[in-house]
Amino acid sequence: MNLILKDVNLFNPFSNIDQKKVSVLLKDGTISKIGNIDSKEFENAEIFELDGKYVVPGFMDMHVHLREPGREDEETIITGSNAAANGGFTEIACMPNTSPAIDSAEIINFIKKHSKKHLVNVYPIAAASMGRNGEVLSPIAELFEAGVVGLSDDGVAIKTASLLRKVLEYSKMYGLPIIEHCEDETLADGAMNEGINSTQLGLPPLPSVSEDLIVSRDILMAEYTGGKIHIAHISTKKSVQLVKEAKQNGINITAEVTPHHFTLTDDSLKSYDTNYKMNPPLRTEEDVNAVIEGLKDGTIDCIVSDHAPHSIEEKEEEFQYAPNGIIGLETMIGLSLSELYHKKILSLKEIVEKLSINPRKILKISVPQFSVGELANFTIIDLDSVWTVDISKFKSKSRNTPFDKKLLNGQSVGVVNNKQMFIDGAFVNI
Amino acid sequence: MPLSSRHLLGLQAVPKDDIQLILETANTFREVLERPIKKVPTLQGKTIVNLFYENSTRTRISFELAEKRLSSDTINFSHSASSVKKGESLKDTIRNIEAMKIDMIIIRHSAAGTPLYLTKICSANIINAGDGIHEHPTQALLDMYSLKERFGKLEGLKVCIVGDVAHSRVALSNIYGLKTMGAIVSVCGPSTMIPKYIEKLGVSVTYDIDEAIRENDVLNVLRIQLERKAGGYFPSLREYAKYFGITRERLDNNKDITILHPGPINRGVEISSEVADGNNQIILHQVTNGVAIRMAVLYLLGTLN
């Protein structure tokens, strides 16, 4: 099928493309022509009038919990991938805290089988230790061969310094990054950030130093072993500073942040609404400002959703007992554009780097070049669309988000990948 | 003038006028408690549920007595564990109870914020009888009532809360209530049991119990929960008693000081037997006043609609 994306702004900082109001001809999902398209082609093609909308390399969310296998009532590989397409992503990396954990080639094959025909590419992150128990190395070589792009004990930091050393050294042979949930487990028995709010709300505190301790440990170990550390969902001012210094010292380290950690503070907890309960917890305004500064100065490489689906009944438990996490695939682009692009914190180039280029670089996935003959991998964004988040329109199976009814500025209007297009809420083969 | 809220969830946001009204109303009921017939018909026809998800003897009995003396119908519901461990969710339990047409719920729960949650899922008046380490407003009200009875006023009164402030709902409610009423509040205890950011609430901190005794009109001595030792917040009960326990010898530095304790007391730990039975303490007054305070709160909320 021939398809024309008409009058788009084609923007790809990775291959230095910045063309205004051009048309792109796709034949069978492959880029056939950019620029002056013969009027004859228009007769035989499906035409999408995209007057001034941006076409950028498909966005990637490298921190998604798909819940399958184990909790298919909350999300499946397919529903999570649908949510990703609806949110504006062509690639996601799925985290290993499933049940059983992603720690064998069989489970990788299971994930690949279920995601094979989808528009969205799913890249598995595997557990660094068997069962994420922090004791025995997972079969890293075999996992790499099966297609794993990173390792993480997800939900917890790698338990001991001695295991972390082995994981960093062993994974170095395959260039796999170690994605760390930085939290000292001996300080992890709280329900919200420690501060005046936790004191006033009577909720057991999670001190920010628990994150900082593991960030420090991991930086030192990355330096010592020459391995590659990626700090998951960074949330404290101190941790941002530590990563910044580590980068200045040439240590192999990268970091990501979630939209909730650059938009919300622990003031939101005053309602005891469990949709504000996540780990790392929402921090203070000072931390939010530091994270935003880190995005600006390049300390933080990418934005991720930490999409964590939970059932309604689990989130309706008492605050202290409710599970951590919120879904984020379908709000992340809107929140990033509203809070970072429109507030002039990041340029569009930086947005595309942090949402598309950098996550691929970290996980060693090739970045779309927008060259003729290449499989089209696009996200189409409308920078100026003003829209209201409506959870009833989500493709995710879960509904746990604090952003329902929020007014946002800018969104994805469609994605193209694997010879499919997702537009107007539906998938089309192209 | 009625109360400004139809629930009592905590004292953080309760205005001075409301506290004043509760304390004054309690005066009337305190007098009722001295009568040979200690019952008034005020809440006849109202149904009140005491929903206790955590063990409690005195608070539950105190509420139950207050309810009975106001002639309301009283139902007790005790649940040993939180809903998470049992089959039914809190929401379903509350909706079922509400469907039986009740007017008020007194809730005690191990999780902070549960009373607020109840206000969102049912239409009864909600009274917090202690939620986690958050608030215990009627305890603070009865403490304030007892102090007002003794000193005539709360304004300018120097009160130090002693012990495990970090894990105490009594401490937080007292801090809010006393500050609202113009008292000067401080806290004293081992530094592991003082919340890191407590000074932001406008209270001062000391780790020296003798200084606390010298400098204050009142000590509100918290119960040391013995299970805290397991968390390693202090080395031993012996060391706690030696450095923070209130003993007769220590009170020699301020013979006029008034001692409160929310009970139940651990004799020989946070307070010595001599002090617990001595002239400085007003512990049993607190218990009696507790019934009057709870009658006042029930009456004011129960007749609001």
Side-chain angles (χ1 to χ4, degrees), chain A residues 129-180:
Chain A
S129 65
M130 287 306 291
R132 304 188 299 117
N133 288 333
E135 279 155 22
V136 180
L137 281 182
S138 62
I140 293 173
E142 194 179 49
L143 290 165
F144 174 72
E145 208 172 63
V148 156
V149 293
L151 299 166
S152 176
D153 270 355
D154 183 27
V156 289
I158 291 173
K159 208 181 207 166
T160 61
S162 111
L163 182 68
L164 176 65
R165 175 183 181 172
K166 293 183 188 94
V167 170
L168 279 166
E169 286 176 339
Y170 203 93
S171 65
K172 220 166 56 168
M173 296 191 287
Y174 307 100
L176 289 172
I178 308 307
I179 302 168
E180 275 276 80

Short mmCIF file of all heavy atoms in Angstrom, two decimals, chain A residues 129-180:
data_model
loop_
_atom_site.label_atom_id
_atom_site.label_comp_id
_atom_site.label_asym_id
_atom_site.label_seq_id
_atom_site.Cartn_x
_atom_site.Cartn_y
_atom_site.Cartn_z
N SER A 129 19.91 -11.31 38.57
CA SER A 129 20.11 -12.55 39.35
C SER A 129 18.88 -13.42 39.20
O SER A 129 17.78 -12.93 38.92
CB SER A 129 20.35 -12.21 40.82
OG SER A 129 19.20 -11.63 41.39
N MET A 130 19.04 -14.70 39.38
CA MET A 130 17.93 -15.64 39.21
C MET A 130 16.78 -15.24 40.14
O MET A 130 16.97 -15.04 41.34
CB MET A 130 18.39 -17.07 39.57
CG MET A 130 19.30 -17.71 38.53
SD MET A 130 18.60 -17.70 36.86
CE MET A 130 17.26 -18.87 37.05
N GLY A 131 15.60 -15.12 39.56
CA GLY A 131 14.42 -14.78 40.35
C GLY A 131 14.50 -13.40 40.99
O GLY A 131 13.71 -13.08 41.87
N ARG A 132 15.43 -12.58 40.58
CA ARG A 132 15.70 -11.26 41.17
C ARG A 132 15.99 -11.38 42.66
O ARG A 132 15.72 -10.48 43.44
CB ARG A 132 14.52 -10.29 40.96
CG ARG A 132 14.11 -10.11 39.49
CD ARG A 132 13.08 -9.01 39.35
NE ARG A 132 11.88 -9.30 40.09
CZ ARG A 132 11.39 -8.59 41.09
NH1 ARG A 132 12.01 -7.51 41.50
NH2 ARG A 132 10.29 -8.95 41.72
N ASN A 133 16.56 -12.53 43.05
CA ASN A 133 16.77 -12.78 44.48
C ASN A 133 18.08 -12.24 45.02
O ASN A 133 18.33 -12.28 46.22
CB ASN A 133 16.70 -14.29 44.77
CG ASN A 133 15.28 -14.78 44.66
OD1 ASN A 133 14.34 -14.02 44.87
ND2 ASN A 133 15.11 -16.04 44.31
N GLY A 134 18.93 -11.77 44.12
CA GLY A 134 20.19 -11.20 44.60
C GLY A 134 21.20 -12.23 45.05
O GLY A 134 22.09 -11.92 45.82
N GLU A 135 21.05 -13.48 44.57
CA GLU A 135 21.99 -14.50 45.03
C GLU A 135 22.84 -15.09 43.89
O GLU A 135 24.06 -15.00 43.94
CB GLU A 135 21.23 -15.60 45.77
CG GLU A 135 20.93 -15.17 47.21
CD GLU A 135 19.75 -15.86 47.82
OE1 GLU A 135 19.38 -16.95 47.36
OE2 GLU A 135 19.17 -15.28 48.78
N VAL A 136 22.17 -15.65 42.89
CA VAL A 136 22.91 -16.34 41.83
C VAL A 136 22.77 -15.56 40.52
O VAL A 136 21.67 -15.11 40.18
CB VAL A 136 22.35 -17.78 41.64
CG1 VAL A 136 23.09 -18.51 40.53
CG2 VAL A 136 22.40 -18.54 42.95
N LEU A 137 23.86 -15.42 39.78
CA LEU A 137 23.81 -14.73 38.48
C LEU A 137 22.78 -15.40 37.56
O LEU A 137 22.71 -16.62 37.48
CB LEU A 137 25.16 -14.85 37.78
CG LEU A 137 26.31 -13.93 38.19
CD1 LEU A 137 27.52 -14.23 37.30
CD2 LEU A 137 25.91 -12.47 38.05
N SER A 138 22.02 -14.60 36.85
CA SER A 138 21.16 -15.18 35.83
C SER A 138 22.03 -15.58 34.63
O SER A 138 23.17 -15.11 34.52
CB SER A 138 20.06 -14.18 35.44
OG SER A 138 20.65 -13.04 34.90
N PRO A 139 21.51 -16.41 33.73
CA PRO A 139 22.35 -16.87 32.59
C PRO A 139 22.54 -15.74 31.58
O PRO A 139 21.89 -15.70 30.52
CB PRO A 139 21.54 -18.03 32.01
CG PRO A 139 20.13 -17.75 32.39
CD PRO A 139 20.17 -17.02 33.69
N ILE A 140 23.42 -14.83 31.88
CA ILE A 140 23.53 -13.57 31.15
C ILE A 140 23.90 -13.78 29.67
O ILE A 140 23.32 -13.15 28.78
CB ILE A 140 24.55 -12.64 31.86
CG1 ILE A 140 23.96 -12.21 33.21
CG2 ILE A 140 24.86 -11.40 31.00
CD1 ILE A 140 24.90 -11.44 34.10
N ALA A 141 24.83 -14.70 29.41
CA ALA A 141 25.25 -14.92 28.02
C ALA A 141 24.07 -15.44 27.19
O ALA A 141 23.79 -14.95 26.09
CB ALA A 141 26.41 -15.90 27.97
N GLU A 142 23.36 -16.40 27.78
CA GLU A 142 22.23 -16.99 27.07
C GLU A 142 21.11 -15.96 26.88
O GLU A 142 20.47 -15.91 25.83
CB GLU A 142 21.73 -18.19 27.88
CG GLU A 142 20.79 -19.08 27.10
CD GLU A 142 20.33 -20.28 27.93
OE1 GLU A 142 19.89 -20.07 29.08
OE2 GLU A 142 20.41 -21.39 27.43
N LEU A 143 20.91 -15.16 27.89
CA LEU A 143 19.88 -14.12 27.81
C LEU A 143 20.23 -13.11 26.71
O LEU A 143 19.38 -12.67 25.95
CB LEU A 143 19.74 -13.41 29.16
CG LEU A 143 19.09 -14.24 30.28
CD1 LEU A 143 19.32 -13.60 31.64
CD2 LEU A 143 17.60 -14.42 30.01
N PHE A 144 21.51 -12.77 26.65
CA PHE A 144 21.97 -11.83 25.62
C PHE A 144 21.70 -12.41 24.23
O PHE A 144 21.17 -11.74 23.35
CB PHE A 144 23.46 -11.54 25.82
CG PHE A 144 24.04 -10.69 24.73
CD1 PHE A 144 23.73 -9.33 24.64
CD2 PHE A 144 24.89 -11.23 23.77
CE1 PHE A 144 24.25 -8.54 23.63
CE2 PHE A 144 25.42 -10.44 22.76
CZ PHE A 144 25.10 -9.10 22.68
N GLU A 145 22.04 -13.67 24.09
CA GLU A 145 21.85 -14.33 22.81
C GLU A 145 20.36 -14.38 22.43
O GLU A 145 20.00 -14.25 21.26
CB GLU A 145 22.39 -15.76 22.89
CG GLU A 145 22.87 -16.30 21.58
CD GLU A 145 23.58 -17.63 21.79
OE1 GLU A 145 22.93 -18.59 22.24
OE2 GLU A 145 24.78 -17.68 21.55
N ALA A 146 19.51 -14.50 23.45
CA ALA A 146 18.07 -14.56 23.19
C ALA A 146 17.48 -13.18 22.89
O ALA A 146 16.32 -13.06 22.51
CB ALA A 146 17.36 -15.18 24.39
N GLY A 147 18.28 -12.12 23.09
CA GLY A 147 17.81 -10.79 22.70
C GLY A 147 17.58 -9.80 23.81
O GLY A 147 16.95 -8.76 23.60
N VAL A 148 18.11 -10.09 24.97
CA VAL A 148 17.95 -9.15 26.08
C VAL A 148 18.82 -7.90 25.84
O VAL A 148 19.92 -8.01 25.33
CB VAL A 148 18.34 -9.88 27.39
CG1 VAL A 148 18.78 -8.91 28.46
CG2 VAL A 148 17.18 -10.74 27.86
N VAL A 149 18.30 -6.73 26.21
CA VAL A 149 19.05 -5.50 25.96
C VAL A 149 19.60 -4.85 27.23
O VAL A 149 20.31 -3.85 27.17
CB VAL A 149 18.18 -4.47 25.19
CG1 VAL A 149 17.88 -4.97 23.78
CG2 VAL A 149 16.89 -4.16 25.95
N GLY A 150 19.24 -5.39 28.39
CA GLY A 150 19.75 -4.84 29.64
C GLY A 150 19.42 -5.79 30.77
O GLY A 150 18.65 -6.74 30.59
N LEU A 151 20.04 -5.54 31.93
CA LEU A 151 19.82 -6.41 33.09
C LEU A 151 19.43 -5.55 34.28
O LEU A 151 19.94 -4.44 34.46
CB LEU A 151 21.10 -7.17 33.43
CG LEU A 151 21.66 -8.10 32.35
CD1 LEU A 151 23.10 -8.49 32.69
CD2 LEU A 151 20.77 -9.33 32.21
N SER A 152 18.51 -6.09 35.10
CA SER A 152 18.08 -5.33 36.27
C SER A 152 17.44 -6.26 37.28
O SER A 152 16.73 -7.18 36.89
CB SER A 152 17.05 -4.27 35.86
OG SER A 152 16.57 -3.59 36.99
N ASP A 153 17.66 -6.03 38.55
CA ASP A 153 16.89 -6.77 39.55
C ASP A 153 15.60 -6.02 39.87
O ASP A 153 14.88 -6.37 40.82
CB ASP A 153 17.74 -7.13 40.79
CG ASP A 153 18.41 -8.49 40.60
OD1 ASP A 153 18.14 -9.14 39.57
OD2 ASP A 153 19.21 -8.90 41.47
N ASP A 154 15.30 -5.02 39.11
CA ASP A 154 14.01 -4.34 39.02
C ASP A 154 13.15 -4.39 40.27
O ASP A 154 12.65 -5.45 40.65
CB ASP A 154 13.23 -4.95 37.85
CG ASP A 154 11.89 -4.25 37.64
OD1 ASP A 154 11.79 -3.06 38.00
OD2 ASP A 154 10.98 -4.90 37.12
N GLY A 155 12.92 -3.24 40.86
CA GLY A 155 12.11 -3.19 42.08
C GLY A 155 12.99 -3.19 43.31
O GLY A 155 12.61 -2.66 44.36
N VAL A 156 14.16 -3.75 43.15
CA VAL A 156 15.17 -3.70 44.21
C VAL A 156 16.54 -3.48 43.55
O VAL A 156 16.72 -3.79 42.38
CB VAL A 156 15.23 -5.00 45.04
CG1 VAL A 156 14.01 -5.16 45.93
CG2 VAL A 156 15.42 -6.22 44.15
N ALA A 157 17.47 -2.94 44.34
CA ALA A 157 18.84 -2.83 43.84
C ALA A 157 19.48 -4.21 43.92
O ALA A 157 19.03 -5.06 44.68
CB ALA A 157 19.61 -1.83 44.69
N ILE A 158 20.53 -4.42 43.13
CA ILE A 158 21.28 -5.68 43.25
C ILE A 158 21.78 -5.76 44.69
O ILE A 158 22.37 -4.81 45.22
CB ILE A 158 22.41 -5.75 42.21
CG1 ILE A 158 21.76 -5.90 40.82
CG2 ILE A 158 23.36 -6.91 42.51
CD1 ILE A 158 22.70 -5.83 39.66
N LYS A 159 21.47 -6.90 45.31
CA LYS A 159 21.50 -6.99 46.77
C LYS A 159 22.83 -6.66 47.42
O LYS A 159 22.88 -5.90 48.39
CB LYS A 159 21.08 -8.41 47.16
CG LYS A 159 20.42 -8.50 48.51
CD LYS A 159 20.07 -9.95 48.78
CE LYS A 159 18.89 -10.09 49.71
NZ LYS A 159 18.38 -11.46 49.67
N THR A 160 23.90 -7.22 46.89
CA THR A 160 25.19 -7.03 47.57
C THR A 160 26.21 -6.44 46.60
O THR A 160 26.10 -6.59 45.38
CB THR A 160 25.75 -8.37 48.08
OG1 THR A 160 25.94 -9.23 46.94
CG2 THR A 160 24.81 -9.04 49.06
N ALA A 161 27.20 -5.80 47.18
CA ALA A 161 28.27 -5.23 46.37
C ALA A 161 29.00 -6.33 45.63
O ALA A 161 29.42 -6.16 44.48
CB ALA A 161 29.22 -4.44 47.26
N SER A 162 29.11 -7.49 46.25
CA SER A 162 29.87 -8.57 45.61
C SER A 162 29.13 -9.09 44.37
O SER A 162 29.74 -9.33 43.33
CB SER A 162 30.16 -9.67 46.64
OG SER A 162 29.44 -10.83 46.38
N LEU A 163 27.80 -9.20 44.46
CA LEU A 163 27.04 -9.64 43.28
C LEU A 163 27.06 -8.54 42.21
O LEU A 163 27.21 -8.83 41.02
CB LEU A 163 25.60 -9.99 43.66
CG LEU A 163 24.75 -10.50 42.50
CD1 LEU A 163 25.24 -11.87 42.03
CD2 LEU A 163 23.28 -10.58 42.86
N LEU A 164 26.93 -7.29 42.64
CA LEU A 164 26.96 -6.18 41.68
C LEU A 164 28.27 -6.21 40.89
O LEU A 164 28.28 -6.03 39.67
CB LEU A 164 26.81 -4.84 42.42
CG LEU A 164 26.91 -3.59 41.56
CD1 LEU A 164 25.76 -3.52 40.56
CD2 LEU A 164 26.93 -2.33 42.42
N ARG A 165 29.36 -6.47 41.59
CA ARG A 165 30.65 -6.54 40.91
C ARG A 165 30.64 -7.62 39.83
O ARG A 165 31.04 -7.38 38.69
CB ARG A 165 31.77 -6.82 41.93
CG ARG A 165 33.09 -7.01 41.23
CD ARG A 165 34.21 -7.36 42.17
NE ARG A 165 35.42 -7.49 41.35
CZ ARG A 165 36.63 -7.65 41.83
NH1 ARG A 165 36.82 -7.70 43.13
NH2 ARG A 165 37.67 -7.75 41.02
N LYS A 166 30.13 -8.80 40.21
CA LYS A 166 30.11 -9.91 39.24
C LYS A 166 29.22 -9.58 38.05
O LYS A 166 29.56 -9.84 36.90
CB LYS A 166 29.63 -11.19 39.92
CG LYS A 166 30.60 -11.70 40.97
CD LYS A 166 30.12 -13.01 41.57
CE LYS A 166 30.98 -13.42 42.75
NZ LYS A 166 30.43 -12.97 44.04
N VAL A 167 28.05 -9.00 38.33
CA VAL A 167 27.11 -8.67 37.25
C VAL A 167 27.75 -7.66 36.30
O VAL A 167 27.69 -7.80 35.08
CB VAL A 167 25.79 -8.11 37.83
CG1 VAL A 167 24.92 -7.54 36.73
CG2 VAL A 167 25.04 -9.20 38.58
N LEU A 168 28.40 -6.64 36.87
CA LEU A 168 29.02 -5.61 36.02
C LEU A 168 30.15 -6.20 35.18
O LEU A 168 30.28 -5.90 33.99
CB LEU A 168 29.55 -4.47 36.90
CG LEU A 168 28.51 -3.44 37.33
CD1 LEU A 168 29.05 -2.56 38.45
CD2 LEU A 168 28.05 -2.58 36.17
N GLU A 169 30.93 -7.07 35.79
CA GLU A 169 32.06 -7.65 35.05
C GLU A 169 31.57 -8.60 33.97
O GLU A 169 32.02 -8.55 32.83
CB GLU A 169 33.01 -8.36 36.02
CG GLU A 169 33.82 -7.34 36.83
CD GLU A 169 34.72 -7.97 37.89
OE1 GLU A 169 34.46 -9.12 38.29
OE2 GLU A 169 35.67 -7.29 38.32
N TYR A 170 30.60 -9.45 34.32
CA TYR A 170 30.13 -10.44 33.37
C TYR A 170 29.38 -9.78 32.21
O TYR A 170 29.56 -10.15 31.04
CB TYR A 170 29.21 -11.44 34.10
CG TYR A 170 29.09 -12.79 33.43
CD1 TYR A 170 29.92 -13.84 33.78
CD2 TYR A 170 28.13 -13.01 32.44
CE1 TYR A 170 29.82 -15.08 33.16
CE2 TYR A 170 28.01 -14.23 31.81
CZ TYR A 170 28.85 -15.27 32.18
OH TYR A 170 28.74 -16.49 31.57
N SER A 171 28.58 -8.79 32.52
CA SER A 171 27.77 -8.15 31.48
C SER A 171 28.62 -7.31 30.53
O SER A 171 28.22 -7.02 29.41
CB SER A 171 26.69 -7.27 32.12
OG SER A 171 27.29 -6.21 32.81
N LYS A 172 29.80 -6.94 31.01
CA LYS A 172 30.71 -6.14 30.19
C LYS A 172 31.09 -6.88 28.90
O LYS A 172 31.28 -6.28 27.85
CB LYS A 172 31.99 -5.88 31.01
CG LYS A 172 32.54 -4.50 30.84
CD LYS A 172 33.58 -4.16 31.89
CE LYS A 172 34.73 -5.15 31.93
NZ LYS A 172 35.87 -4.66 32.75
N MET A 173 31.14 -8.22 29.00
CA MET A 173 31.48 -9.02 27.81
C MET A 173 30.46 -8.81 26.70
O MET A 173 30.75 -9.01 25.53
CB MET A 173 31.52 -10.51 28.17
CG MET A 173 32.60 -10.87 29.16
SD MET A 173 32.82 -12.67 29.31
CE MET A 173 31.37 -13.19 30.22
N TYR A 174 29.24 -8.42 27.07
CA TYR A 174 28.17 -8.29 26.07
C TYR A 174 27.70 -6.83 25.92
O TYR A 174 26.75 -6.56 25.21
CB TYR A 174 27.00 -9.21 26.44
CG TYR A 174 27.49 -10.62 26.65
CD1 TYR A 174 27.71 -11.11 27.93
CD2 TYR A 174 27.81 -11.40 25.55
CE1 TYR A 174 28.22 -12.38 28.11
CE2 TYR A 174 28.34 -12.68 25.73
CZ TYR A 174 28.54 -13.16 27.01
OH TYR A 174 29.07 -14.41 27.18
N GLY A 175 28.34 -5.94 26.65
CA GLY A 175 27.99 -4.53 26.55
C GLY A 175 26.60 -4.20 27.09
O GLY A 175 26.01 -3.19 26.72
N LEU A 176 26.09 -5.07 27.97
CA LEU A 176 24.74 -4.83 28.49
C LEU A 176 24.78 -3.84 29.67
O LEU A 176 25.60 -3.99 30.57
CB LEU A 176 24.12 -6.15 28.98
CG LEU A 176 23.73 -7.16 27.93
CD1 LEU A 176 23.33 -8.47 28.60
CD2 LEU A 176 22.58 -6.63 27.07
N PRO A 177 23.88 -2.85 29.67
CA PRO A 177 23.83 -1.96 30.83
C PRO A 177 23.10 -2.62 32.01
O PRO A 177 22.22 -3.45 31.81
CB PRO A 177 23.01 -0.77 30.32
CG PRO A 177 22.13 -1.35 29.27
CD PRO A 177 22.90 -2.49 28.64
N ILE A 178 23.50 -2.25 33.22
CA ILE A 178 22.81 -2.71 34.43
C ILE A 178 21.89 -1.58 34.88
O ILE A 178 22.35 -0.47 35.19
CB ILE A 178 23.82 -3.04 35.56
CG1 ILE A 178 24.91 -3.98 35.05
CG2 ILE A 178 23.11 -3.61 36.77
CD1 ILE A 178 24.41 -5.24 34.37
N ILE A 179 20.60 -1.87 34.86
CA ILE A 179 19.61 -0.85 35.20
C ILE A 179 19.27 -1.02 36.67
O ILE A 179 18.74 -2.05 37.07
CB ILE A 179 18.37 -1.00 34.30
CG1 ILE A 179 18.80 -0.87 32.83
CG2 ILE A 179 17.32 0.04 34.66
CD1 ILE A 179 17.74 -1.28 31.84
N GLU A 180 19.59 -0.01 37.46
CA GLU A 180 19.46 -0.17 38.91
C GLU A 180 18.31 0.64 39.50
O GLU A 180 18.21 1.85 39.30
CB GLU A 180 20.78 0.26 39.58
CG GLU A 180 21.82 -0.85 39.64
CD GLU A 180 21.63 -1.77 40.84
OE1 GLU A 180 20.76 -2.67 40.78
OE2 GLU A 180 22.35 -1.60 41.82
#
